[in-house]
């Protein structure tokens, strides 16, 4: 039995990494003839770093996935499929995979041709929509789901609607070790001549260790030889965000309570063979977690397996594992109750010994070789039953392999502390042309999308620049100027309706997905100040852009009846324009198709999503179909060229194709998919996006792999090599939209497969 393990892995300091390392060793220990660990398979490791060399992995780590690189997941599936493993074990925790709630893992498992066993380390009682989707999809792709508690089974069957027969309980393994005699830990200063209470594991605020510190005064009053020892590093994620603030807080609290001499830290990551020494040198082990929502605790399992006397708050795993007198429980945050329980145990040697003996005897069946044997049986059954022919596989509608690596390089080149410069000569910023509101609004949307995707620090640093430009261009009455010279002189008194609408769109986007409350509050202030000018809009593109911004705003504030009414009012002119202009051979809003055409049906889709207006839906679908017929019928996108535009009864202009046309097509089709869940819209979205990469009239790519910018247009003679903000941002927003769509691959490929089966 050869197995591929998908997980974090040592030397990365992570509980899941340690678990997977132990599981692999446990499974291999059941095959004593194996001399080489590689005979048992290999590991696909998850990195929390962009650097593939961040960790010095052992030789059995054969592939590394960078958490936020979608292509790595697809390539990992290919590597596993071409290997000789019999099965795959996936360790699942939301935080170790990329995308919203770790959704990047889904394309990987969707492509696996080997039987999959998934171990769920977290099963949430109140999952978000995406979290529920992720778990359900993992279950669908898995031969068996492994959990470690009865409560997890209950949640999976009742909350996630996963069939009980697909779920199996295999408890958390514990070290197959006995304490040495003599135990070297007992000679440490923190343990020598002390009755030790201990907690171990990565430190973070959700561990509730302050409850134990608050209990110490009452404990040491009765048992002055007690020492509370906290073993473990601070969690790496906590170190990045707030350093050793929590450890310092605990020290400060102990000083205030005058128990500093009874609190000790062993600030290191302790290996298993050393950990057993600490646990067996301990009188009382404490897990004081702050709430019940802990479905599995490896530290608790280890303590029970070592035969420690365990006292815990009643979180889900503790109530099961410490039943039948294997430990004691106290209420959450109840320092008094903890102190009373500890004092009683330390005063009653008989009860203390009974707890330890009960825990030790139960822990014998949790030892890793026993657990490994259970997993071998599951893997063998999954392999025997696996029939790959039952799994319909097709090429993904979106092929991530052809996407260039996302880069902010050219945007950073165009951006200074004022905003993004609107034009460039080739790839060099053209400072003579200054700045415009349109581009800074688009740049704000792009930076928000980039930050949403992978918490990009570069994108986050750009947000205040673009937002402050918008603020600077807002007039006292709430309207907006558009153009600013490089020396920061206003070049107009009032901007165009297009620039106004695009700014409302950007503010609505920021309100709907703000990086922080302060950004949302700032955007709300600008948004509401501009509100009186909504009624002054006279042109349908300004109205359309504003409609999108209002719809995004209403996703967060759906009860704002005034804004709902404004959305309905602004939608009507688009419907009226269509009704007044349309004919059997002209399903459009105007007598001509000019620029940014797809923005009009896109706005109606957003309006329909909020209002449910059937007429908005009807007009959106008819105008989309008309636009698609004109621009996609050749098998690639050929948008309306700006060289003359397209008039009813006239000749379709082929050239001076602009990037904003393509961006609008990408956004329109993705919104159509999100509204109607029909995979053909994803196909059209991706086909439109490929215009940037060379699937266009001239078969010439507009994306520049050297500068990471996008050329300004497709001309009869070739490409306009200038790479201004408008075209580059249009490319980047399109690219980020495609990446967002790829996260939904599990869904639209499934729908497409169902249609194939029906046919």
């Amino acid at each position: 039995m050869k197995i591929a393990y998908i997980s974090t892995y040592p030397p990365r300091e992570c509980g899941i990494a340690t678990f997977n390392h132990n599981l692999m060793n446990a499974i291999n220990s059941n095959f004593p003839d194996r001399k080489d660990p590689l005979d048992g398979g290999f590991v696909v490791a998850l990195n929390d770093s962009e650097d593939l060399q961040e960790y010095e992995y052992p030789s059995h780590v054969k592939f590394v996935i960078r958490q936020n690189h979608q292509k790595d997941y697809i390539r990992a599936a290919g590597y596993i499929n071409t290997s000789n493993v019999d099965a795959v074990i996936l360790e699942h925790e939301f935080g170790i995979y990329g995308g919203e709630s770790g959704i990047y893992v889904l394309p990987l498992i969707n492509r696996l041709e080997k039987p999959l066993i998934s171990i769920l380390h977290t099963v949430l009682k109140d999952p978000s929509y995406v979290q529920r989707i992720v778990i359900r999809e993992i279950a669908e792709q898995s031969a068996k789901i492994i959990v470690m508690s009865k409560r997890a089974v209950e949640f999976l069957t009742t909350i996630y609607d996963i069939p009980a027969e697909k779920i199996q309980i295999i408890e958390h393994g514990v070290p197959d070790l006995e304490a040495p005699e003599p135990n070297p830990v007992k000679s440490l200063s923190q343990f020598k001549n002390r009755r030790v209470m201990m907690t171990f594991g990565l430190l973070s605020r959700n561990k509730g260790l302050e409850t134990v510190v608050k209990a110490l005064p009452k404990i040491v009053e009765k048992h002055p030889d007690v020492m509370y020892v906290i073993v473990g590093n601070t969690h790496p994620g906590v170190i990045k965000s707030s350093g050793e603030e929590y450890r310092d807080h605990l020290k400060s609290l102990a000083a205030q309570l005058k128990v500093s001499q009874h609190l000790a830290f062993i600030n290191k990551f302790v290996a298993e063979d050393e950990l057993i020494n600490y646990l067996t040198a301990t009188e009382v082990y404490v897990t004081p977690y702050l709430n019940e929502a802990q479905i599995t605790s490896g530290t608790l399992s280890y303590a029970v397996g070592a035969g420690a006397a365990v006292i815990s708050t009643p979180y889900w795993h503790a109530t099961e594992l410490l039943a039948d007198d294997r430990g004691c429980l106290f209420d959450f945050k109840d320092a008094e109750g903890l102190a009373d329980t500890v004092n009683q145990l330390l005063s009653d040697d008989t009860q203390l010994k009974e707890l330890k003996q009960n825990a030790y005897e139960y822990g014998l069946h949790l030892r890793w070789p026993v657990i490994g044997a259970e997993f071998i049986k599951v893997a063998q059954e999954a392999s025997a039953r696996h029939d790959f022919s039952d799994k319909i596989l097709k090429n993904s509608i979106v092929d991530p392999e052809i996407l260039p690596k996302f880069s902010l390089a050219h945007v950073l080149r165009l951006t200074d502390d004022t905003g993004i410069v609107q034009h460039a000569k080739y790839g060099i910023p053209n400072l003579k042309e200054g700045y415009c509101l349109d581009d800074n609004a688009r740049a704000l949307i792009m930076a928000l999308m980039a930050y949403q995707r992978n918490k990009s620090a570069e994108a986050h640093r750009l947000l205040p620049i673009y937002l402050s430009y918008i603020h600077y261009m807002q007039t006292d009455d709430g309207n907006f100027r558009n153009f600013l010279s490089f020396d920061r002189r206003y070049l107009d008194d009032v901007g165009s309706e297009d620039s106004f609408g695009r700014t409302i769109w950007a503010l609505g986007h920021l309100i709907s997905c703000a990086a922080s409350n302060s950004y949302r509050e700032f955007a709300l202030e600008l948004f509401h100040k501009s509100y009186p000018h909504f009624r002054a809009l006279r042109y349908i593109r300004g109205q359309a852009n504003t409609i999108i911004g209002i719809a995004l705003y209403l996703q967060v504030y759906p009860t704002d009846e005034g804004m709902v009414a404004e959305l309905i009012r602004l939608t009507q002119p688009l419907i009226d324009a269509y009704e007044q202009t349309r004919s059997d051979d002209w399903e459009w809003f105007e007598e001509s198709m000019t620029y940014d055409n797809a923005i009009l049906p896109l706005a109606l889709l957003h309006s329909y999503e909020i209002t449910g207006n059937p007429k908005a839906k009807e007009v959106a679908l008819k105008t989309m179909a008309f636009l698609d017929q004109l621009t996609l019928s050749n098998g690639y996108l050929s948008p309306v060229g700006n060289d003359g535009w397209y008039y009813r009864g006239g000749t379709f202009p082929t050239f001076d194709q602009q990037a904003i046309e393509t961006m609008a097509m990408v956004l329109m089709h993705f919104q159509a998919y999100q509204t109607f869940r029909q995979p053909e819209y994803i196909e059209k979205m991706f086909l439109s996006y490929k215009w940037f990469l060379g699937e266009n009239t001239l078969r010439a790519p507009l994306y520049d792999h050297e500068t990471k910018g996008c050329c300004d247009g497709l001309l009869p003679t070739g490409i306009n090599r200038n790479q201004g903000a408008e075209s580059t941002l249009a490319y980047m927003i399109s690219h980020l939209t495609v990446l967002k769509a790829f996260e939904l691959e599990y869904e639209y490929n499934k729908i497409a497969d169902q249609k194939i089966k029906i046919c």
Side-chain angles (χ1 to χ4, degrees):
M1 177 59 58
K2 293 179 182 289
I3 296 172
Y5 302 82
I6 304 173
S7 174
T8 54
Y9 203 73
R12 180 175 172 181
E13 293 181 3
C14 164
I16 305 296
T18 302
F19 179 94
N20 193 70
H21 173 72
N22 289 334
L23 177 60
M24 188 177 187
N25 287 340
I27 289 174
N28 286 338
S29 72
N30 282 270
F31 298 94
D33 293 338
R34 282 180 180 165
K35 297 179 181 179
D36 185 348
L38 290 176
D39 291 342
F42 59 84
V43 175
V44 173
L46 272 298
N47 260 25
D48 54 353
S49 166
E50 296 291 295
D51 183 5
L52 289 170
Q53 309 303 319
E54 174 79 8
Y55 301 106
E56 293 184 12
Y57 289 117
S59 60
H60 49 272
V61 174
K62 292 299 184 182
F63 195 95
V64 176
I65 296 174
R66 292 163 294 181
Q67 182 172 341
N68 293 313
H69 282 249
Q70 287 167 299
K71 291 182 183 178
D72 287 359
Y73 293 83
I74 306 306
R75 292 166 182 163
Y79 185 87
I80 293 169
N81 289 338
T82 56
S83 73
N84 64 350
V85 298
D86 303 294
V88 180
I89 290 179
L90 173 82
E91 308 285 356
H92 183 264
E93 175 68 61
F94 291 110
I96 67 174
Y97 299 103
E100 182 180 356
S101 299
I103 201 169
Y104 288 4
V105 75
L106 297 189
L108 189 167
I109 63 174
N110 188 56
R111 284 169 166 75
L112 286 178
E113 299 170 8
K114 310 284 187 178
L116 175 66
I117 299 112
S118 296
I119 305 170
L120 304 185
H121 290 265
T122 296
V123 182
L124 299 173
K125 185 178 181 181
D126 298 301
S128 68
Y129 173 80
V130 175
Q131 288 166 340
R132 186 172 183 269
I133 285 291
V134 168
I135 295 299
R136 283 176 56 83
E137 190 63 22
I138 288 173
E140 182 163 328
Q141 297 295 334
S142 300
K144 190 70 76 173
I145 291 290
I146 305 298
V147 293
M148 303 177 200
S149 67
K150 296 175 184 175
R151 186 63 64 94
V153 176
E154 176 191 333
F155 288 174
L156 289 176
T157 54
T158 60
I159 299 170
Y160 299 84
D161 299 321
I162 295 171
E165 60 270 18
K166 204 160 200 179
I167 309 167
Q168 181 170 334
I169 297 176
I170 300 180
E171 292 189 78
H172 197 296
V174 303
D176 187 29
L177 298 169
E178 298 288 343
E181 285 295 341
N183 188 340
V185 165
K186 291 183 178 180
S187 63
L188 297 177
S189 60
Q190 299 95 329
F191 285 76
K192 192 172 184 179
N193 300 320
R194 295 281 197 171
R195 304 191 78 178
V196 173
M197 297 166 53
M198 192 180 93
T199 300
F200 84 90
L202 295 173
L203 270 66
S204 62
R205 277 204 173 265
N206 65 342
K207 296 298 177 68
L209 305 182
E210 60 272 12
T211 304
V212 187
V213 176
K214 290 175 183 177
L216 281 176
K218 190 173 182 179
I219 294 171
V220 299
E221 182 181 358
K222 190 168 184 178
H223 298 281
D225 57 348
V226 162
M227 174 70 77
Y228 179 41
V229 179
I230 299 172
V231 179
N233 293 338
T234 298
H235 193 286
V238 175
I239 287 287
K240 288 179 183 178
S241 62
S242 52
E244 292 288 3
E245 180 270 338
Y246 184 50
R247 191 185 300 270
D248 293 340
H249 164 70
L250 295 173
K251 291 177 180 178
S252 177
L253 179 61
Q256 292 172 27
L257 297 173
K258 296 182 172 53
V259 290
S260 295
Q261 299 305 311
H262 299 271
L263 174 66
F265 292 93
I266 297 177
N267 187 6
K268 67 176 183 177
F269 189 81
V270 177
E272 253 184 27
D273 53 352
E274 188 180 3
L275 178 60
I276 197 73
N277 297 344
Y278 281 102
L279 286 170
T280 52
T282 298
E283 291 277 358
V284 174
Y285 185 82
V286 187
T287 56
Y289 300 158
L290 295 175
N291 61 68
E292 65 178 0
Q294 180 92 11
I295 208 81
T296 304
S297 170
T299 61
L300 181 71
S301 297
Y302 277 32
V304 169
V310 181
I311 304 175
S312 176
T313 50
Y315 55 91
W316 294 325
H317 192 202
T319 57
E320 291 185 30
L321 192 55
L322 301 184
D324 301 324
D325 295 323
R326 291 190 291 271
C328 300
L329 301 175
F330 68 98
D331 288 338
F332 300 107
K333 301 181 182 179
D334 182 8
E336 285 283 321
L338 171 60
D340 291 341
T341 304
V342 171
N343 283 335
Q344 180 181 337
L345 277 180
L346 294 182
S347 300
D348 188 338
D349 286 341
T350 301
Q351 184 184 7
L352 190 66
K353 288 178 182 177
E354 285 179 0
L355 277 184
K356 289 185 174 184
Q357 186 62 30
N358 291 343
Y360 177 81
E361 290 177 0
Y362 188 82
L364 291 175
H365 90 276
L366 301 180
R367 297 207 173 185
W368 274 118
V370 179
I371 298 299
E374 292 191 53
F375 273 97
I376 291 169
K377 185 178 179 182
V378 172
Q380 287 172 337
E381 290 176 355
S383 182
R385 294 177 182 175
H386 183 62
D387 184 358
F388 177 62
S389 64
D390 287 342
K391 186 174 183 179
I392 296 178
L393 276 187
K394 54 178 286 186
N395 291 330
S396 174
I397 296 172
V398 176
D399 180 5
E401 288 295 335
I402 74 168
L403 272 66
K405 181 181 178 181
F406 182 77
S407 171
L408 288 166
H410 191 52
V411 165
L412 292 170
R413 195 177 298 121
L414 292 173
T415 302
D416 58 21
D417 58 358
T418 298
I420 191 165
V421 174
Q422 62 175 320
H423 292 304
K425 295 293 288 182
Y426 298 95
I428 307 303
N430 183 358
L431 305 182
K432 294 178 181 179
E433 302 292 338
Y435 317 85
C436 72
L437 186 63
D438 294 87
D439 289 337
N440 280 275
R442 289 189 192 96
L444 179 61
I445 292 171
M446 183 282 301
L448 282 165
M449 293 176 72
Y451 180 69
Q452 274 185 299
R453 179 174 174 266
N454 60 9
K455 302 298 183 233
S456 162
E458 282 184 330
H460 193 265
R461 286 193 292 270
L462 292 172
L463 293 177
I465 296 174
Y466 304 138
L467 188 55
S468 66
Y469 182 90
I470 291 171
H471 175 244
Y472 187 64
M473 299 304 281
Q474 188 168 41
T475 59
D476 292 341
D477 68 353
N479 210 329
F480 293 95
R481 296 181 173 91
N482 191 3
F483 297 108
L484 189 72
S485 68
F486 184 65
D487 59 357
R488 296 181 179 175
R489 287 180 294 106
Y490 295 124
L491 299 179
D492 54 8
D493 294 324
V494 178
S496 66
E497 288 192 10
D498 284 3
S499 64
F500 179 92
R502 289 184 184 117
T503 303
I504 300 306
W505 179 352
L507 293 173
H509 191 92
L510 178 54
I511 291 165
S512 71
C513 60
S516 68
N517 284 334
S518 61
Y519 282 117
R520 174 172 285 140
E521 289 167 5
F522 194 7
L524 282 167
E525 181 181 316
L526 301 180
F527 185 90
H528 286 300
K529 188 175 181 180
S530 69
Y531 174 70
H533 296 276
F534 291 4
R535 287 186 172 271
L537 296 170
R538 294 291 176 264
Y539 299 103
I540 59 174
R541 282 169 180 75
Q543 292 165 340
N545 282 285
T546 303
I547 284 169
I548 298 169
I550 295 173
L552 293 168
Y553 165 90
L554 287 170
Q555 288 179 0
V556 183
Y557 301 102
T559 59
D560 188 335
E561 295 180 3
M563 204 60 72
V564 172
E566 189 62 27
L567 177 63
I568 294 169
R569 189 194 67 78
L570 277 170
T571 301
Q572 196 58 45
L574 272 70
I575 296 173
D576 291 343
Y578 167 79
E579 293 290 0
Q580 293 163 14
T581 309
R582 70 158 301 275
S583 64
D584 290 345
D585 62 351
W586 188 259
E587 298 280 357
W588 199 242
F589 304 89
E590 300 169 302
E591 293 291 333
S592 61
M593 301 184 80
T594 55
Y595 65 95
D596 218 1
N597 293 295
I599 219 75
L600 302 176
L602 172 62
L604 291 177
L605 290 171
H606 277 281
S607 179
Y608 170 70
E609 183 180 35
I610 299 297
T611 66
N613 181 347
K615 193 64 180 177
K617 173 185 175 183
E618 176 191 340
V619 176
L621 289 172
K622 287 182 176 179
T623 53
M624 281 175 60
F626 183 63
L627 185 58
D628 287 347
Q629 180 187 357
L630 287 170
T631 61
L632 292 174
S633 57
N634 292 326
Y636 56 85
L637 178 65
S638 181
V640 175
N642 283 9
D643 184 17
W645 292 332
Y646 182 41
Y647 291 87
R648 190 202 297 245
T651 303
F652 190 89
T654 302
F655 287 107
D656 203 5
Q657 298 176 15
Q658 301 290 304
I660 60 166
E661 298 294 327
T662 303
M663 179 189 81
M665 292 288 284
V666 169
L667 292 172
M668 178 186 73
H669 286 120
F670 185 54
Q671 182 64 25
Y673 174 75
Q674 290 184 302
T675 304
F676 305 116
R677 289 305 196 258
Q678 295 178 12
E680 54 263 37
Y681 290 123
I682 296 293
E683 293 178 14
K684 291 176 180 178
M685 176 211 70
F686 194 51
L687 185 62
S688 299
Y689 166 78
K690 289 190 286 187
W691 179 89
F692 291 107
L693 305 185
E695 293 201 21
N696 52 47
T697 308
L698 293 182
R699 293 294 190 256
L702 285 90
Y703 176 73
D704 187 330
H705 290 267
E706 181 181 354
T707 66
K708 314 305 180 188
C710 179
C711 297
D712 280 349
L714 206 61
L715 306 173
T717 55
I719 295 171
N720 181 341
R721 291 291 310 283
N722 295 329
Q723 297 173 17
E726 179 183 282
S727 54
T728 295
L729 292 167
Y731 167 76
M732 297 178 76
I733 289 172
S734 300
H735 184 106
L736 290 164
T737 301
V738 169
L739 291 176
K740 182 68 176 175
F742 184 62
E743 294 177 14
L744 303 175
E745 180 199 46
Y746 69 92
E747 181 181 85
Y748 51 73
N749 276 359
K750 187 185 300 180
I751 296 169
D753 288 346
Q754 289 170 350
K755 289 183 177 180
I756 291 171
K757 289 180 181 178
I758 291 170
C759 295

